[in-house]
């Protein structure tokens, strides 16, 4: 029962929650930059934002150039658009990529920075207020203080985080997820599973984060067969979106562990979508955790309805496409990189470089 837990994001959840809460949005300011990718113009999110802004008399510009796994150059471009427009708040609509980019853009709106990776720990007064609208049910970025950016110099993905990167509000409306490609829906749900499970393995886990994680796993597992059969109902999408936010609330307080550290290399070097990368690694990572901490491993896997890590691997295997077959030299490089990441010491089970290599080898080795 010893824990501390922080969650400063106001959450609106339900059908049409954005347009139903125009009065609340009006309090953010008069000029907004909408940070997004291309899909929000098709899934209804951008149309709802436009309609809410029109009702509230808010002027806005749209920066819709956020790429998947955004780079430093990409967010600096967004920052300069925000400065040119004189935005006084930021609305992010999209998956984790636009939502993460928006956090750094909210800081760059107040002044450019050559090294965006130095913006971790940004002060609250240097970051514009943000509203986040997730259109994938996965990252939970709408309730976390993290922005994950691609670093082309260090050749990996890096976490830029600050308590000031918590959005002020998140609007969860599953209707935006109706046209999501099936593989994206599956990968993003697996990302949320990974967040809940890694959160439960964190040294910072506590009674409250465990409750959120177990509820998230329970909800995702109850929708998993519909999800994999591409037969989700509107209610199912709402539940997955909510479950992903719960898992985000977990990692906002616990952080992630080695699965995310290793997964960054699969994304950076092999183009594996974030959730798919985690899905490839999670079962083999859990197999080690189960061996070294059987009670905790059993609780985590049981919360998702799996008997053991092998059961999870069988469940994920058909969903992840052709498995990469990566040679030992590269896997050793990725293990070394992951071992240097601070997420490693965040886990109750100790993983050294050799352990990480073994997990990688078993998951994606030749
Ligand atoms: P994403 O990169 O945001 O989106 C994946 C693809 O799905 C994009 O092509 C996107 O198109 C499309 N898409 C998004 N919503 C859609 C919808 N409703 N309908 C149709 N297509 C849609 O993927 P993601 O998995 O949500 O986010 C991954 C990123 O988040 C990674 O960079 C990862 O490192 C980061 N992440 C952050 C946190 C955190 O706490 N901050 C946690 C985990 C992961 P458009 O973008 O063109 O619209
Ligand atoms: Zn993730």
């Amino acid at each position: 029962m010893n824990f501390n837990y922080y969650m400063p994001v106001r959450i609106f959840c339900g059908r049409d929650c954005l347009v139903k809460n125009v009065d609340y949005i009006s309090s953010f300011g008069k000029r907004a930059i909408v940070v997004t990718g291309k899909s929000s113009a098709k899934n209804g999110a951008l149309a709802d934002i436009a309609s809410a802004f029109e009702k509230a008399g808010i002027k806005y510009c749209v920066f819709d150039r956020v790429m998947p796994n955004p780079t430093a150059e990409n967010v600096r471009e967004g920052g300069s658009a925000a400065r040119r427009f004189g935005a006084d708040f930021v609305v992010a609509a999209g998956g984790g990529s636009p939502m993460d980019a928006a956090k750094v853009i909210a800081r760059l709106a107040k002044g450019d920075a050559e090294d965006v990776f130095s913006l971790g720990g940004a002060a609250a007064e240097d970051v514009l207020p943000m509203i986040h609208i997730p259109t994938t049910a996965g990252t939970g970025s709408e309730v976390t203080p993290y922005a994950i950016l691609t670093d082309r110099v260090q050749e990996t993905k890096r976490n830029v985080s600050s308590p000031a990167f918590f959005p002020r509000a998140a609007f969860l409306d599953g209707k935006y997820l109706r046209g999501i490609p099936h593989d994206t829906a599956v990968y993003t749900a697996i990302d949320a599973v990974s967040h809940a499970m890694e959160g439960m393995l964190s040294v910072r886990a506590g009674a409250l984060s465990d409750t959120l994680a177990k509820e998230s796993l329970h909800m995702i597992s109850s929708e998993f067969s519909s999800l994999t059969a591409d037969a989700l109902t509107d209610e199912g999408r709402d539940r997955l979106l909510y479950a992903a936010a719960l898992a985000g609330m977990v990692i906002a307080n616990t952080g992630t562990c080695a699965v995310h550290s290793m997964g960054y290399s699969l994304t950076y070097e092999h183009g594996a979508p974030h959730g798919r990368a985690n899905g490839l690694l999670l079962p083999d990572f859990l197999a080690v955790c189960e061996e070294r901490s059987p009670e905790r491993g059993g609780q985590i896997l049981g919360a998702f309805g799996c008997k053991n890590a092998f059961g999870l691997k069988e469940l994920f295997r058909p969903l992840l496409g052709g498995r990469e077959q990566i040679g030992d030299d590269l896997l050793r490089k990725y293990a070394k990189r992951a071992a240097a990441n601070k997420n490693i010491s965040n886990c109750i089970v100790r993983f050294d470089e050799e352990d990480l290599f073994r997990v990688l080898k078993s998951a994606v080795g030749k």
Side-chain angles (χ1 to χ4, degrees):
M1 279 298 162
N2 295 318
F3 66 84
N4 75 67
Y5 182 87
Y6 180 59
M7 183 40 58
V9 185
R10 180 177 298 279
I11 297 168
F12 296 87
C13 185
R15 193 65 70 244
D16 301 320
C17 56
L18 188 69
V19 283
K20 284 179 181 164
N21 288 284
V22 169
D23 288 350
Y24 174 77
I25 297 165
S26 306
S27 68
F28 277 71
K30 282 282 156 216
R31 295 177 74 80
I33 180 165
V34 179
V35 175
T36 188
K38 299 297 178 206
S39 62
S40 62
K42 296 172 211 144
N43 63 33
L46 203 52
D48 277 359
I49 293 167
S51 142
F53 282 174
E54 198 181 315
K55 278 193 194 143
I58 293 168
K59 292 200 167 43
Y60 68 99
C61 71
V62 178
F63 177 73
D64 66 356
R65 292 170 53 80
V66 179
M67 50 165 64
N69 306 300
T71 58
E73 299 73 31
N74 195 203
V75 293
R76 284 185 73 192
E77 190 189 344
S80 101
R83 290 194 301 277
R84 269 198 314 275
F85 185 68
D88 40 32
F89 69 104
V90 175
V91 173
S97 298
M99 289 196 288
D100 284 7
K103 295 172 183 178
V104 181
I105 290 171
R107 159 62 188 80
L108 293 170
K110 296 258 188 151
D112 195 16
E114 251 175 56
D115 178 11
V116 297
F117 297 99
S118 69
L119 297 177
E125 62 271 24
D126 294 334
V127 181
L128 292 183
M130 287 172 266
I131 290 174
H132 275 40
I133 306 166
T135 67
T136 60
T139 68
S141 176
E142 68 276 12
V143 291
T144 75
Y146 314 128
I148 316 293
L149 299 181
T150 299
D151 184 347
R152 288 202 175 124
V153 178
Q154 293 200 8
E155 301 186 329
T156 187
K157 298 191 68 178
R158 286 171 68 191
N159 183 357
V160 186
S161 87
S162 162
F165 289 163
F166 273 113
R168 283 252 179 106
F171 286 83
L172 310 183
D173 188 340
K175 73 176 181 178
Y176 303 132
L177 278 70
R178 281 175 190 149
I180 204 163
H182 184 232
D183 57 353
T184 305
V186 170
Y187 299 158
T188 48
I190 289 176
D191 187 28
V193 170
S194 197
H195 295 162
M197 291 187 170
E198 288 177 76
M200 287 182 76
L201 283 161
S202 163
V203 293
R204 290 186 273 157
L208 181 49
S209 65
D210 270 11
T211 300
L212 295 168
K214 285 178 192 163
E215 177 65 2
S216 174
L217 290 171
H218 169 71
M219 290 187 90
I220 299 171
S221 103
S222 72
E223 294 298 333
F224 210 69
S225 56
S226 310
L227 170 69
T228 56
D230 202 5
L232 278 174
T233 59
D234 265 3
E235 196 194 333
R237 278 183 280 272
D238 291 340
R239 283 165 60 83
L240 287 179
L241 190 59
Y242 172 64
L246 292 181
M249 290 183 218
V250 174
I251 58 165
N253 283 267
T254 62
T256 54
C257 299
V259 173
H260 271 67
S261 324
M262 292 184 286
Y264 293 153
S265 287
L266 299 188
T267 299
Y268 188 88
E269 309 276 0
H270 302 272
H274 176 69
R276 176 171 178 268
N278 292 341
L280 286 164
L281 297 161
L282 184 63
D284 291 294
F285 167 79
L286 281 172
V288 178
C289 297
E290 207 180 12
E291 201 180 286
R292 298 188 188 164
S293 182
E295 197 185 332
R296 193 62 167 159
Q299 279 172 6
I300 291 168
L301 286 153
F304 197 57
C306 291
K307 279 209 181 82
N308 49 36
F310 180 73
L312 188 70
K313 194 161 183 161
E314 290 294 292
L315 192 64
F316 283 179
R317 198 199 302 267
L319 303 171
L320 298 173
R323 168 187 170 285
E324 277 74 357
Q325 299 205 355
I326 304 171
D328 284 5
D329 287 357
L330 280 180
L331 294 181
R332 290 219 174 268
K333 179 173 143 190
Y334 306 160
K336 187 168 188 189
R337 212 185 256 165
N341 195 303
K342 67 176 177 357
N343 297 27
I344 299 302
S345 56
N346 190 39
C347 186
I348 55 167
V349 176
R350 293 287 146 204
F351 279 77
D352 62 20
E353 201 175 310
E354 194 55 32
D355 296 326
L356 297 171
F357 171 73
R358 273 199 234 109
V359 169
L360 282 159
K361 173 115 180 145
S362 155
V364 290
K366 261 192 182 143

